[in-house]
């Protein structure tokens, strides 16, 4: 689960991480009022979406007057920002963050994530602030400084100082950066974060160390103990189909293909997608209804697939163990009868009550193709699109 910049900064401030004063706004007038409350003569108007690269996409604007704040708010609100993280479809801006400006002397980078090779958290920092960390890793890996966090002791102050000194910082500024990193690490662990990125981490001309931007994502498996963070969830930033799937306890992820998949079991779902690719098709989704889904869940899964306008055919692939084939068949028939199906449907059933399931499909009178194997089903789904 991800949160917005303004929410991440609100959270980090509780751990003593220094940020600038800012206000969230959902209208042009609110943005102007926010600038007035903040005061001063320099503000930054920022689009709030769950993606990086906002500045390059025109979602971050500097304002030196209230008129400029208003003009920038009018320009950004409602705009679709396309960045390297949103994909070509982009994200619509519904919220702004108006923040006070500052005199920047130096831009750094600081972040935390899980190093899967070590199975431990790692702090990363770089002198290349304002640049995507992936670019730095590829072009100048020697400019990234890392410290692994021992889960028994946490990040120690000497490790944070070593990072600061490694970046060439000295004196009070080095101490402030080290303190900043320790506080960021504490916030990361306490909130069950999966990623925290401060880019840029700036040193002002006055010698202050400030999080000029903040991005945080959290481990969804730990949200049950993070009620305050769950309240920050913005459903408008998430795929509508994925949100609906979660409500029905279904595992669903939108992909870019045109063959909808309804499968039971994550491994079988992956195999189904691979087989579709083998026959020249492209899966439109990953959808695992699980081993114990009921008729209503199957019907819900079917409806979610059909909400994707890119879907041109559907492949149902069920191996019945705990999940009985007749239950799947009843759910498919119920969903097809309720929703106007205008794309080819291929169903492959095998396992518990398979004969009963096939009988339900055949007696339904619906235009459903049956398949004898996964390969047969994938090939029929691909050919159905080619023929349409």
């Amino acid at each position: 689960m991800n949160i917005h910049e303004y929410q991440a900064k609100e959270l980090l401030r509780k751990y003593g991480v220094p940020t600038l004063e800012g206000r969230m706004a959902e209208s042009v007038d609110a943005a102007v009022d926010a600038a007035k409350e903040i005061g001063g003569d320099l503000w930054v108007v920022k689009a709030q979406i769950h993606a990086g690269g906002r500045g390059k996409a025109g979602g971050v604007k500097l304002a030196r007057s209230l008129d400029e704040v208003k003009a920038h708010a009018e320009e950004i609100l409602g705009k679709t920002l396309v960045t390297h993280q949103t994909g070509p479809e982009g994200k619509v801006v519904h919220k702004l963050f108006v923040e006070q400006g500052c005199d920047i002397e130096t831009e750094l980078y600081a972040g935390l994530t899980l190093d899967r090779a070590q199975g431990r958290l790692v702090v990363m920092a770089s002198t290349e602030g304002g640049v995507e960390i992936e670019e730095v890793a590829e072009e100048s890996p020697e400019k990234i400084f890392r410290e692994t966090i021992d889960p028994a002791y946490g990040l120690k102050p000497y490790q944070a100082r070593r990072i600061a000194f490694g970046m060439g910082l000295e004196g009070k500024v080095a101490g402030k950066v080290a303190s900043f990193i320790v506080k960021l690490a504490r916030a990361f662990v306490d909130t069950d974060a999966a990623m925290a990125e401060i880019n840029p981490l700036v040193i002002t001309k006055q010698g202050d160390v400030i999080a000029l931007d903040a991005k945080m994502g959290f481990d969804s498996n730990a949200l049950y103990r993070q009620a305050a963070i769950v309240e920050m969830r913005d459903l408008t930033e998430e795929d509508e189909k994925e949100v609906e799937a979660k409500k029905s306890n279904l595992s669903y992820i939108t992909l870019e293909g045109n063959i909808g998949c309804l499968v039971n079991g994550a491994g079988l779902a992956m195999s189904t997608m691979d087989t579709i690719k083998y026959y020249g098709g492209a899966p439109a989704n990953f959808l695992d209804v699980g081993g114990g889904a009921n008729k209503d869940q199957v019907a819900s899964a079917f409806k979610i697939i059909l909400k994707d306008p890119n879907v041109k055919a559907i492949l149902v692939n069920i191996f019945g163990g705990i999940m009985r084939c007749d239950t799947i068949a009843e759910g498919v028939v119920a969903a097809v009868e309720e929703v106007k199906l205008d794309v080819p449907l291929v169903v492959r059933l095998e396992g518990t009550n398979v004969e009963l399931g096939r009988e339900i499909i055949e007696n339904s009178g619906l235009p459903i193709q049956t398949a004898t194997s996964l390969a047969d089903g994938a090939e029929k789904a691909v050919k159905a699109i080619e023929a349409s």
Side-chain angles (χ1 to χ4, degrees):
M1 177 190 141
N2 297 319
I3 60 176
H4 291 294
E5 174 194 355
Y6 77 91
Q7 294 170 317
K9 288 182 174 178
E10 177 184 336
L11 188 63
L12 292 174
R13 278 194 293 271
K14 296 178 181 178
Y15 289 85
V17 175
T19 66
L20 296 169
E21 186 177 356
R23 304 279 192 281
M24 188 274 286
E26 295 181 277
S27 68
V28 174
D29 289 341
V32 174
D33 290 340
K36 290 178 181 178
E37 292 175 12
I38 294 169
D41 55 7
L42 181 65
W43 306 269
V44 183
V45 182
K46 303 180 181 183
Q48 296 296 283
I49 59 171
H50 289 174
R54 294 170 298 161
K56 294 179 182 179
V60 179
K61 300 286 187 180
L62 194 65
R64 299 184 181 279
S65 69
L66 293 177
D67 287 338
E68 286 190 1
V69 171
K70 181 179 180 180
H72 294 329
E74 290 175 339
E75 177 187 354
I76 298 174
L77 266 179
K79 179 179 181 178
T80 299
L81 289 187
V82 179
T83 78
H84 65 286
Q85 292 185 5
T86 64
E89 69 280 2
K91 283 184 174 289
V92 178
V93 180
H94 299 289
K95 297 178 180 179
L96 298 173
F97 185 45
V98 181
E99 191 173 50
Q100 70 182 113
C102 67
D103 295 324
I104 300 173
E105 178 73 27
T106 305
E107 293 189 359
L108 306 173
Y109 170 94
L112 285 94
T113 190
L114 173 66
D115 184 339
R116 296 187 182 278
Q118 298 185 74
R120 293 188 173 187
L121 300 179
V122 61
V123 179
M124 297 183 295
S126 175
T127 55
E128 304 300 295
V131 180
E132 298 298 330
I133 195 64
E134 294 84 1
E135 294 180 25
V136 181
E138 183 176 348
E139 299 173 7
S140 307
E142 73 282 358
K143 293 182 179 180
I144 298 179
F145 303 89
R146 297 176 175 85
E147 287 288 338
T148 300
I149 300 177
D150 188 314
Y153 301 102
L155 181 69
K156 307 304 289 184
Y158 78 86
Q159 292 179 291
R161 289 196 297 271
R162 189 158 58 192
I163 289 176
F165 294 147
M167 291 190 289
L169 304 175
E170 299 176 347
K172 292 183 178 180
V173 169
K176 288 181 179 180
V177 169
S179 175
F180 182 102
I181 293 173
V182 169
K183 292 172 181 176
L184 179 63
R186 188 177 299 121
F188 185 99
V189 173
D190 285 358
T191 61
D192 289 308
M195 179 276 297
E197 186 176 66
I198 310 299
N199 191 22
L201 163 62
V202 301
I203 301 172
T204 69
K205 292 179 179 179
Q206 293 76 31
D208 296 321
V209 175
I210 297 170
L212 201 62
D213 193 9
K215 185 190 301 181
M216 293 188 75
F218 303 90
D219 182 355
S220 296
N221 293 311
L223 290 178
Y224 71 92
R225 59 188 182 193
Q226 298 290 348
I229 291 171
V230 172
E231 292 180 2
M232 296 180 177
R233 187 178 180 188
D234 186 350
L235 296 180
T236 65
E237 289 290 314
E238 299 181 30
D239 187 294
E240 180 184 351
K241 298 183 292 299
E242 293 181 14
V243 172
E244 186 174 340
K246 288 179 182 178
K247 292 179 181 178
S248 298
N249 293 319
L250 302 171
S251 297
Y252 176 93
I253 299 174
T254 300
L255 301 175
E256 297 179 353
N258 56 9
I259 297 179
C261 304
L262 193 159
V263 190
N264 67 322
L268 186 58
M270 297 296 288
S271 299
T272 301
M273 294 190 292
D274 287 344
T275 307
I276 288 172
K277 293 288 287 185
Y278 177 80
Y279 282 99
N285 62 271
F286 169 98
L287 198 161
D288 173 16
V289 296
N294 55 40
K295 175 181 173 181
D296 291 337
Q297 284 178 302
V298 173
S300 296
F302 208 84
K303 294 172 189 175
I304 290 169
I305 291 174
L306 290 173
K307 283 187 175 182
D308 186 346
N310 295 321
V311 170
K312 305 302 179 186
I314 298 174
L315 172 59
V316 176
N317 182 30
I318 297 298
F319 187 85
I322 299 173
M323 166 65 72
R324 299 184 329 220
C325 292
D326 56 317
T327 298
I328 289 291
E330 290 174 353
V332 169
V333 170
V336 173
E337 289 177 340
E338 184 176 340
V339 180
K340 293 182 179 180
L341 184 66
D342 56 359
V343 298
L345 171 62
V346 180
V347 177
R348 180 255 181 164
L349 300 175
E350 195 60 69
T352 306
N353 289 356
V354 62
E355 296 301 331
L356 181 56
R358 289 173 180 169
E359 184 179 334
I360 292 171
I361 295 291
E362 291 171 2
N363 294 336
S364 68
L366 299 171
I368 301 175
Q369 297 184 58
T370 58
T372 58
S373 67
L374 170 54
D376 182 39
E379 189 173 15
K380 283 182 176 178
V382 172
K383 288 183 176 180
I385 293 177
E386 294 174 350
S388 61

